[in-house]
Amino acid sequence: MSTPSFIEEAVTKLLQSSDFQNMVIVLPGVRPASFIKKEFVRQGYTGILPQIVTIETWMQEIAGLIRIAGIPLWTRGYEAFMRNPDNQEGFESFLKWFPTLLKDFDDLHTALADVDQLFDYLQSMERLKEWAQEMNIGVSELMINQTGFWAKASVLHRDLNDDLLSAGFAYSGLLFRKAAENIEEYLASTQQHFVFLGFNALTEAEKKILDACEEAGRLTMHWDIDKFFLNNQLQEAGQFLRNYSKSSWGKSLTEQAHNHFSQSKDIEIIGCPNLASQAKVVGKLLEESDPDLLESTAVVLADEQLLPVMLHSLPASVAHINITMGLPLRWIPITGFFNQIIDLHLYRSLSKGFDEYYYKPLVSVLKNPDFQQVFAPEASQILNKIQDSNQVFISPEQLAAYGMKNAYFRIFDTCESAIELLNNLIKFIEYYLENNSVDALQTEYLYRFQEIFTQLRQESEDKFFLREISTLKRLYQQLLSTEELSFLGDPLVGLQLMGVLETRLLDFDQVILCSANEGTLPLGRTENSYVPYEVRRLFHMNTFLENDSIYAYHFYRLIQRCQRVRILYNQDIVNGKEVSRFVKQMQLEGMHDVESKTAISLLSSQNQSDINISKSETVQKRLNDWKNSISPSSLGAYLYDPLEFYKKHIIGYRDENEIEESAGALTLGNAAHKVLEYIYLPYLNKPLTVRNFEEIKQNFPKVLYKILQQELFKESRVHGKNHLVQEVIKAMTERVILNDEKFVKNNGELIFTALEAEISTHHNTIHGVQVGFGGHMDRVEKRDGTVCIFDYKTGNTKSEALNFVSKNNASLNSKAYGMQLLLYAKMYFDNHPYVQELRCGVIPLKKFSTEMLWLHIDKQSLLTRELVDLILPSIDRLIDEILDPEIAFIQNSKKHSK
């Protein structure tokens, strides 16, 4: 790069020293170490390099302690907590609040706060809340629930620290405090000289260590600061460094400040609809970049969840990539798969009295692509059998009967403890790796989870309170939010894919910064703390304001030396997404000309248009078959969305059958249809009497139970919402029966002539195309001598959908139900030449009343052949449009956007 990088400048100065033997270079993170070594070589140095350490590693050396984190720390914390006999909280509940409290412990120690004074202060606030509770002054539920919290936290802090220190361990904050306490003794034991590179926000513990090193004359500071944010008192990027300039070790800040940020830069701000589109834009930007520039390009992700999709969006021109960031486990694709397995066994363990698997996690596992890649035939076979029988709960015996082999499917072995389940998960991963061809990335995922499950198993064997599957579930969820998958690679070759913090000390010619949104960069007012803001300020603990300043420094430092900057952000205004204030601030400062664009101008517009399918020869052949048996519902589907019509009625695409734990509208309607069919079937072609209805009501419970078991619940036990579903279907069908009985009691003649009957006819359209109609009539009856055709509807039906006007080419828009009834009338007239008039109507099961909804043509409900023929040309034109080879099937985007 034309502008010297910070590491290049720092190494040049270091080479002026002749004593590398006692030099220790201290870095804020591990990533820059390789770049520093490379720079020594580039500048021609051939001797022994200075020792290079991270600040955390150095703190462990000074304190003489080993850092502890994660599961071992949580379990030690729980044991210390339970040592108090007044604490009877379970480990799962403990995990809900302890990690946040640990963060507060870290902060109070790195700030070198007076621990006793801090806890006394917080307990005094608690006592004030108790007093307010007694006086009933502004008491909230939260205040009541937190009463006594800080008293317990104080005891826990003391006991946990004693346990850890006696064993030679410390969590991060305690480690820094102990290092600050031991620094004088440590300096007396060594002659080393310490060089700090590129530090910005220092903790009070770090500053105390720097004071001691400076006083001993064994400290050199290399700052990375631009005059633009150092000298501007309003610029938060320089907040920390301006304060350090007053200290003895910060005096060199002013003389080391450079003026790189003001140099000319090519900066563009690009608004994107969502995260996925950001990845596509990055792919396009990289594809258009000079290949030589890729070696000095960094793609920086402010939101780490973008990493998986970004890896699949990189162009082929990117030959080498180095991922210098950790990927949180919660964003790894296979995370959900293991979560489903744990859920499968958790639901079984919580199912009191029923040794059965719950269908949701079971089906999720069987459908999972990673699982099906190895076990596809068996998984599909078992899945089909479960779906065909609509089973909500499946016993191990039923799974075995369906072809489930425990030796083959380790994860489906019944487990009574977390240890058993973890053993099976580890065996499953081993089997998966041995019997499946997986890429390098997937292999890394699996090895990381194998490591986690092995650690969990070891902890579960040692700690009795970790042996419940519900506890394993909670631990797993906590790990997902704290643990990362670290990638290994050559950091010196190819494109750099990084997180914001990983950019420290590093400089690039081209930077592509993603997810530059407020709430992500910076995080803003997200308090991951139990200590109130005012108390944190009082005890010099960092708040969200200091965290914002830290991110401001990283943002401006990332830009200061590069030549080409592309900043992407999520432009989803509907969900409250707006560009980071750092970006707005940079534009307002006016140092650089910043061009704003949208992703639409960069990506092909083809992705934004509606989907359309041309009518190929194959499609026309299938349309020719379709026209021989046109169902009214298929015409309604075309009116709703031509693309859905194409998928369902031309290529025969069907959504996979889903198990319904509680019946959906379609299943519910089908069950109601069956109940009404079976209850009336014995009385077909007979005038119904009041006595008949007494028999019907007497037989109704038996018929209802039989149909619901056959059609809806099948082999599954009735539970949960299905109790309500049963009552809904009962109420729907009962209302129909009671309304029919009322008609007969009022001396009306009612004779059912057909129930759930098939009907069809042939028809010539106005353009001479011969077609066939076919349908399914729910109910045909003679009502006081008039033929009536009824269709049961569980959905909302408006009377406007059943009214046609014959003048000026009757419109079919929003009249799918009416068109369906009209075609029933057409087919019935054709099959019954002696019938001169009839009525068609809808019986709305969802909101059934004494008034049926009748089909009207020109305001007449008593239909004749002539009236029906007046509307048929509109249907003919619709059929002609469907058959026309020049008119493509175009997706109705308005329907899909709802």
Side-chain angles (χ1 to χ4, degrees):
M1 58 193 303
S2 57
T3 302
S5 70
F6 169 72
I7 288 178
E8 184 179 345
E9 292 174 344
V11 170
T12 299
K13 292 178 182 177
L14 289 173
L15 285 171
Q16 297 172 5
S17 170
S18 58
D19 186 13
F20 281 0
Q21 182 177 356
N22 287 320
M23 182 180 290
V24 177
I25 298 176
V26 183
L27 306 176
V30 69
R31 301 298 181 185
S34 297
F35 291 87
I36 292 173
K37 293 175 183 177
K38 178 185 177 182
E39 185 58 29
F40 270 107
V41 173
R42 193 192 70 80
Q43 295 196 28
Y45 181 73
T46 57
I48 298 175
L49 290 174
Q51 182 182 351
I52 302 175
V53 298
T54 64
I55 183 69
E56 191 165 83
T57 302
W58 191 46
M59 291 295 165
Q60 291 185 82
E61 183 180 344
I62 298 172
L65 298 168
I66 300 172
R67 181 177 176 268
I68 186 173
I71 299 171
L73 180 56
W74 299 337
T75 56
R76 283 178 177 269
Y78 183 66
E79 289 173 331
F81 178 71
M82 292 302 291
R83 196 168 301 134
N84 185 338
D86 293 335
N87 297 332
Q88 298 300 319
E89 192 168 358
F91 185 63
E92 296 168 55
S93 177
F94 176 79
L95 268 185
K96 294 178 181 178
W97 54 266
F98 181 62
T100 302
L101 183 63
L102 267 177
K103 174 66 169 55
D104 288 331
F105 288 174
D106 280 333
D107 291 347
L108 71 89
H109 284 303
T110 55
L112 299 183
D114 186 319
V115 176
D116 293 335
Q117 185 180 358
L118 175 64
F119 280 122
D120 284 345
Y121 194 95
L122 292 167
Q123 288 177 65
S124 296
M125 292 179 66
E126 280 188 328
R127 286 190 285 271
L128 285 174
K129 291 177 184 178
E130 291 176 3
W131 172 77
Q133 182 180 344
E134 292 173 2
M135 301 293 292
N136 200 26
I137 301 174
V139 180
S140 67
E141 184 178 353
L142 179 64
M143 291 169 62
I144 295 172
N145 291 340
Q146 287 190 341
T147 299
F149 176 80
W150 286 114
K152 292 181 179 180
S154 175
V155 175
L156 172 58
H157 173 267
R158 180 199 64 206
D159 292 345
L160 176 60
N161 285 4
D162 290 345
D163 288 351
L164 291 176
L165 293 174
S166 64
F169 295 114
Y171 47 86
S172 182
L174 182 60
L175 180 69
F176 275 61
R177 180 186 281 269
K178 289 300 176 183
E181 293 173 357
N182 290 352
I183 185 60
E184 300 288 352
E185 182 180 346
Y186 175 78
L187 290 174
S189 68
T190 180
Q191 295 300 313
Q192 291 174 322
H193 186 90
F194 305 100
V195 178
F196 275 60
L197 293 188
F199 279 79
N200 169 43
L202 295 165
T203 65
E204 293 299 318
E206 290 168 329
K207 285 190 279 186
K208 182 178 179 182
I209 290 172
L210 291 183
D211 286 339
C213 292
E214 175 70 15
E215 187 176 345
R218 289 150 64 183
L219 177 68
T220 301
M221 301 295 295
H222 286 286
W223 304 101
D224 188 8
I225 182 66
D226 196 282
K227 293 178 181 178
F228 177 70
F229 15 102
L230 180 65
N231 298 332
N232 184 351
Q233 297 297 317
L234 298 178
Q235 177 49 262
E236 58 189 330
Q239 174 184 329
F240 287 98
L241 297 179
R242 282 194 296 273
N243 293 334
Y244 302 157
S245 63
K246 303 170 186 175
S247 66
S248 58
W249 41 262
K251 291 178 180 178
S252 60
L253 263 165
T254 304
E255 63 185 52
Q256 291 187 24
H258 48 71
N259 202 24
H260 299 314
F261 185 77
S262 61
Q263 295 176 4
S264 177
K265 303 179 190 303
D266 174 14
I267 303 177
E268 287 183 2
I269 313 298
I270 304 171
C272 303
N274 48 47
L275 283 176
S277 64
Q278 288 190 48
K280 292 179 181 179
V281 171
V282 170
K284 189 169 183 63
L285 291 173
L286 293 174
E287 193 172 21
E288 296 173 349
S289 292
D290 184 337
D292 294 334
L293 189 60
L294 291 178
E295 289 294 322
S296 185
T297 295
V299 176
V300 182
L301 308 183
D303 187 347
E304 63 270 2
Q305 68 171 307
L306 188 55
L307 179 58
V309 66
M310 186 66 71
L311 292 174
H312 293 286
S313 301
L314 298 177
S317 58
V318 179
H320 300 285
I321 179 173
N322 182 54
I323 307 172
T324 56
M325 63 182 293
L327 175 62
L329 293 184
R330 64 182 179 274
W331 301 127
I332 294 178
I334 205 169
T335 295
F337 171 60
F338 290 120
N339 193 54
Q340 291 157 1
I341 297 172
I342 296 172
D343 279 344
L344 177 71
H345 293 276
L346 177 61
Y347 279 113
R348 192 190 69 81
S349 68
L350 296 178
S351 181
K352 306 299 183 183
F354 296 99
D355 189 21
E356 297 172 322
Y357 292 113
Y358 183 44
Y359 85 97
K360 280 188 177 179
L362 177 60
V363 168
S364 297
V365 171
L366 293 173
K367 284 184 176 180
N368 188 279
D370 295 311
F371 184 79
Q372 290 212 347
Q373 193 168 351
V374 183
F375 308 120
E378 295 87 348
S380 299
Q381 174 186 339
I382 296 166
L383 184 61
N384 289 337
K385 289 182 178 179
I386 293 172
Q387 289 173 334
D388 289 344
S389 59
N390 200 64
Q391 287 182 265
V392 176
F393 291 93
I394 303 96
S395 69
E397 292 75 22
Q398 287 172 318
L399 281 177
Y402 290 163
M404 185 74 73
K405 303 172 185 176
N406 281 343
Y408 199 49
F409 293 81
R410 290 284 187 184
I411 54 176
F412 295 106
D413 287 348
T414 54
C415 302
E416 301 303 327
S417 70
I419 296 175
E420 290 181 61
L421 178 53
L422 288 165
N423 278 328
N424 290 345
L425 286 169
I426 294 167
K427 291 175 183 176
F428 172 78
I429 293 174
E430 292 172 352
Y431 182 89
Y432 192 97
L433 289 169
E434 291 173 3
N435 295 273
N436 194 18
S437 177
V438 294
D439 58 34
L441 191 60
Q442 184 79 339
T443 301
E444 287 295 326
Y445 293 161
L446 289 167
Y447 275 131
R448 184 70 179 100
F449 276 99
Q450 186 178 41
E451 179 185 358
I452 287 171
F453 293 144
T454 301
Q455 183 184 9
L456 283 170
R457 179 181 62 183
Q458 181 178 347
E459 291 290 334
S460 298
E461 289 171 348
D462 295 339
K463 306 290 191 296
F464 71 92
F465 52 82
L466 299 181
R467 294 174 187 171
E468 294 293 330
I469 294 177
S470 57
T471 305
L472 172 62
K473 168 75 174 182
R474 181 66 199 176
L475 259 178
Y476 181 78
Q477 294 292 344
Q478 190 64 45
L479 281 171
L480 295 185
S481 63
T482 57
E483 295 292 312
E484 293 184 337
L485 172 65
S486 297
F487 294 92
L488 300 177
D490 185 353
L492 307 177
V493 178
L495 175 75
Q496 302 292 318
L497 194 52
M498 321 179 77
V500 174
L501 293 180
E502 281 73 26
T503 65
R504 290 175 293 189
L505 279 70
L506 304 180
D507 298 294
F508 303 91
D509 288 335
Q510 175 175 241
V511 169
I512 303 174
L513 174 61
C514 300
S515 301
N517 281 91
E518 194 68 18
T520 303
L521 185 73
L523 292 174
R525 190 161 191 160
T526 53
E527 298 287 0
N528 183 26
S529 172
Y530 293 129
V531 181
Y533 170 83
E534 294 79 6
V535 179
R536 296 183 73 90
R537 298 286 290 179
L538 181 64
F539 286 87
H540 308 290
M541 298 165 65
N542 278 359
T543 67
F544 70 92
L545 294 174
E546 284 73 29
N547 293 334
D548 286 357
S549 297
I550 293 172
Y551 273 92
Y553 173 80
H554 291 313
F555 174 80
Y556 280 94
R557 203 215 70 81
L558 183 61
I559 295 173
Q560 65 187 5
R561 286 184 175 86
C562 71
Q563 301 167 4
R564 190 170 189 263
V565 184
R566 298 294 180 265
I567 300 175
L568 281 58
Y569 68 99
N570 190 347
Q571 209 174 25
D572 185 4
I573 300 175
V574 174
N575 292 316
K577 298 291 186 181
E578 59 178 303
V579 69
S580 168
R581 71 172 181 271
F582 295 158
V583 177
K584 292 181 180 178
Q585 182 174 305
M586 183 179 63
Q587 290 174 299
L588 291 172
E589 286 164 344
M591 180 69 71
H592 302 286
D593 293 329
V594 179
E595 185 177 356
S596 295
K597 293 184 177 180
T598 63
I600 296 175
S601 64
L602 297 174
L603 298 173
S604 170
S605 60
Q606 182 178 357
N607 295 330
Q608 308 298 325
S609 63
D610 291 336
I611 300 172
N612 66 84
I613 306 293
S614 61
K615 292 173 182 173
S616 63
E617 290 185 9
T618 302
V619 171
Q620 291 180 54
K621 183 178 179 181
R622 294 187 180 181
L623 281 170
N624 193 56
D625 294 335
W626 166 79
K627 73 180 178 64
N628 293 327
S629 183
I630 299 173
S631 67
S633 61
S634 68
L635 292 174
Y638 184 84
L639 282 175
Y640 181 80
D641 186 354
L643 188 64
E644 288 299 315
F645 166 85
Y646 165 78
K647 289 164 58 179
K648 185 175 181 180
H649 297 283
I650 303 304
I651 65 174
Y653 173 81
R654 295 288 186 275
D655 289 333
E656 187 175 306
N657 291 333
E658 294 290 339
I659 296 170
E660 292 187 318
E661 180 180 1
S662 58
L666 180 60
T667 304
L668 188 146
N670 289 341
H673 278 60
K674 284 290 184 183
V675 171
L676 291 169
E677 178 189 1
Y678 277 79
I679 205 74
Y680 281 136
L681 197 58
Y683 306 98
L684 199 61
N685 295 315
K686 300 175 184 178
L688 282 163
T689 65
V690 174
R691 183 178 179 83
N692 293 147
F693 279 100
E694 293 298 326
E695 297 168 354
I696 287 170
K697 287 188 287 186
Q698 186 176 355
N699 293 328
F700 178 75
K702 295 179 182 178
V703 174
L704 177 67
Y705 177 80
K706 179 180 178 181
I707 296 302
L708 293 184
Q709 288 298 315
Q710 289 178 351
E711 301 296 324
L712 184 58
F713 305 136
K714 300 187 179 180
E715 299 179 25
S716 233
R717 51 190 169 92
V718 179
H719 72 289
K721 292 181 180 179
N722 279 337
H723 285 294
L724 298 177
V725 169
Q726 182 172 283
E727 293 302 312
V728 168
I729 295 174
K730 178 183 177 183
M732 283 181 172
T733 50
E734 272 186 336
R735 284 200 297 268
V736 175
I737 294 168
L738 292 174
N739 207 53
D740 290 339
E741 181 185 25
K742 183 178 180 181
F743 178 79
V744 171
K745 282 184 176 180
N746 290 334
N747 298 316
E749 184 185 56
L750 183 61
I751 303 173
F752 291 114
T753 59
L755 296 168
E756 304 296 331
E758 299 288 341
I759 192 168
S760 62
T761 190
H762 293 287
H763 171 67
N764 288 324
T765 70
I766 54 177
H767 292 106
V769 179
Q770 186 176 42
V771 300
F773 292 125
H776 189 96
M777 300 183 296
D778 293 341
R779 166 172 162 170
V780 183
E781 64 189 50
K782 285 187 177 179
R783 186 172 284 251
D784 285 339
T786 300
V787 174
C788 296
I789 302 171
F790 285 109
D791 202 51
Y792 298 125
K793 294 295 182 187
T794 52
N796 292 324
T797 306
K798 296 180 180 179
S799 58
E800 294 83 1
L802 305 179
N803 292 328
F804 288 95
V805 178
S806 62
K807 294 180 180 179
N808 302 324
N809 299 326
S811 173
L812 300 179
N813 289 334
S814 303
K815 296 186 185 297
Y817 287 162
M819 181 175 60
Q820 184 175 359
L821 291 175
L822 189 128
L823 287 175
Y824 287 152
K826 154 72 177 171
M827 288 185 276
Y828 197 89
F829 278 134
D830 287 354
N831 281 272
H832 302 86
Y834 58 88
V835 175
Q836 300 300 312
E837 55 188 17
L838 55 76
R839 282 190 170 93
C840 291
V842 167
I843 298 178
L845 296 177
K846 191 174 181 180
K847 295 180 180 178
F848 188 64
S849 64
T850 56
E851 297 294 330
M852 284 99 164
L853 297 177
W854 296 102
L855 175 69
H856 287 77
I857 299 177
D858 293 339
K859 298 185 180 181
Q860 297 185 54
S861 64
L862 192 60
L863 307 181
T864 63
R865 297 172 190 270
E866 292 74 22
L867 276 174
V868 172
D869 288 343
L870 291 175
I871 310 301
L872 284 176
S874 295
I875 297 177
D876 292 346
R877 284 188 289 273
L878 180 64
I879 295 171
D880 287 340
E881 178 182 320
I882 295 172
L883 297 175
D884 190 337
E886 300 301 321
I887 300 177
F889 294 113
I890 301 176
Q891 180 185 41
N892 188 337
S893 57
K894 291 183 179 179
K895 300 293 185 183
H896 284 266
S897 66
K898 289 183 178 180

